[in-house]
Amino acid sequence: MNKKKIIVAITGASGSIYAKVLLDKLVELKDQIEAVGVVMSDNAKEVWQFELGNTKYEDYGFTFYHKNDFNAPFASGSAKYDTMIIIPCSMGTLGRIAHGISNDLISRAADVVLKERRKLIAVVRDTPFSLIHINNMKTITEAGGIICPANPSFYSLPKTLEEVAGTVVSRVLDLAGFEQKSYRWNEE
């Protein structure tokens, strides 16, 4: 199995629990991973602290990059990162990506992933969507990205907030091509 090189971008949209559960799952899937590079916006750090009451994002063994570090390997297509997951993805970030505005490492990495025809998964977390949001999602989809709204499922009967968030993260990991054990509809 080819090991994956993953970019995780965390923006300031509400839903830090999704990012936390994803990072937890990536730790569990380390045998399928060559590298994980993480970049967080300033707002993402503030929202994480507010929503989760800690700064434990600092405790993961992944390489963290500053939001303006254009020397990060995934700022260039030559680094061959296969997948970028933006979780949660704010509508501002989505709009900048849709319009090719690479003003920070998150938008630059997304631009690289799209131009290299690799996998971009944007876990949008806002409601309701304006027509501007919908058009930006359409633009990114037409460019090859995947829009995966942070809409949890309930048929697995999740009992905790982390399990609810895990229903979205499991879908994201499936989209990214990971082999994982998760709830499958009508399968034992």
Side-chain angles (χ1 to χ4, degrees), residues 4 23 30 37-38 58 66 99 101 114 121 143 149 151 170 174 188:
K4 300 183 181 313
L23 294 175
K30 66 181 180 246
V38 181
E58 298 170 340
H66 187 270
H99 295 281
I101 300 169
L114 290 173
I121 303 167
N151 297 337
S170 288
D174 282 348
E188 292 185 36

Side-chain angles (χ1 to χ4, degrees), residues 21 151-154 156 158 162-172:
V21 172
N151 297 337
S153 61
F154 296 94
S156 63
E162 285 202 11
E163 288 177 1
V164 170
T167 67
V168 172
V169 170
S170 288
R171 179 57 73 112
V172 168

Side-chain angles (χ1 to χ4, degrees), residues 84 93 96-97 101-112:
M84 179 175 187
T93 299
R96 286 186 291 282
I97 294 166
I101 300 169
S102 298
N103 65 340
D104 64 6
L105 183 55
I106 293 173
S107 53
R108 171 60 187 165
D111 190 41
V112 166

Side-chain angles (χ1 to χ4, degrees), residues 60-79:
Y60 291 93
F62 304 126
T63 305
F64 278 72
Y65 295 89
H66 187 270
K67 67 177 183 154
N68 292 320
D69 183 358
F70 287 90
N71 289 314
F74 47 85
S76 169
S78 64

Side-chain angles (χ1 to χ4, degrees), residues 85-144:
I85 301 166
I86 309 172
I87 185 167
C89 182
S90 70
M91 289 303 162
T93 299
L94 189 81
R96 286 186 291 282
I97 294 166
H99 295 281
I101 300 169
S102 298
N103 65 340
D104 64 6
L105 183 55
I106 293 173
S107 53
R108 171 60 187 165
D111 190 41
V112 166
V113 167
L114 290 173
K115 81 178 181 68
E116 297 290 332
R117 307 298 192 265
R118 298 186 185 135
K119 197 171 283 189
L120 173 68
I121 303 167
V123 183
V124 295
R125 221 302 311 139
D126 209 339
T127 191
F129 297 135
S130 74
L131 183 57
I132 293 167
H133 301 155
I134 292 166
N135 285 330
N136 287 338
M137 287 186 262
K138 177 180 180 274
T139 298
I140 287 174
T141 301
E142 289 173 339

Side-chain angles (χ1 to χ4, degrees), residues 166-184:
T167 67
V168 172
V169 170
S170 288
R171 179 57 73 112
V172 168
L173 291 170
D174 282 348
L175 290 168
F178 282 95
E179 294 297 322
Q180 60 166 330
K181 289 183 180 180
S182 66
Y183 182 85
R184 306 289 176 193

